[in-house]
Amino acid sequence: MRTLRIAAAAEAASLVLLLGNLFTVHAPALSALLGPLHGTAYLVVIAATWMVPSAAAPGTRWRALVPGFGGLLVLRRIGDGRAATG
């Protein structure tokens, strides 16, 4: 669960930074650093979500596939208790 929280935060933050870079200075070095970080965080969110037993409720695991903020959607779903029935 801790891995999922860290990866979800990294996924969302890296997307915000990538878009901020795109709409402001568009520094290629920053894009080269943040792009792989965002992609790795996205894959870690998907893998970690499928490994969490409380994410077995219908629709919870598929939320991890939403690019950018899927990890935060999964954490919200798991954290409010609706996914605990599985």
Side-chain angles (χ1 to χ4, degrees), residues 32-82:
L33 174 72
L34 293 173
L37 173 69
H38 176 70
T40 303
Y42 177 62
L43 293 175
V44 170
V45 163
I46 292 170
T49 299
W50 284 82
M51 293 173 52
V52 174
S54 61
T60 303
R61 289 184 174 156
W62 295 107
R63 289 174 190 195
L65 299 177
V66 176
F69 297 99
L72 297 176
L73 293 173
V74 169
L75 287 173
R76 181 176 171 199
R77 172 82 175 186
I78 290 172
D80 67 5
R82 286 185 293 184

Side-chain angles (χ1 to χ4, degrees), residues 17-45:
L17 291 172
L18 276 169
L19 291 176
N21 181 42
L22 179 67
F23 293 127
T24 57
V25 295
H26 194 58
L30 196 56
S31 296
L33 174 72
L34 293 173
L37 173 69
H38 176 70
T40 303
Y42 177 62
L43 293 175
V44 170
V45 163

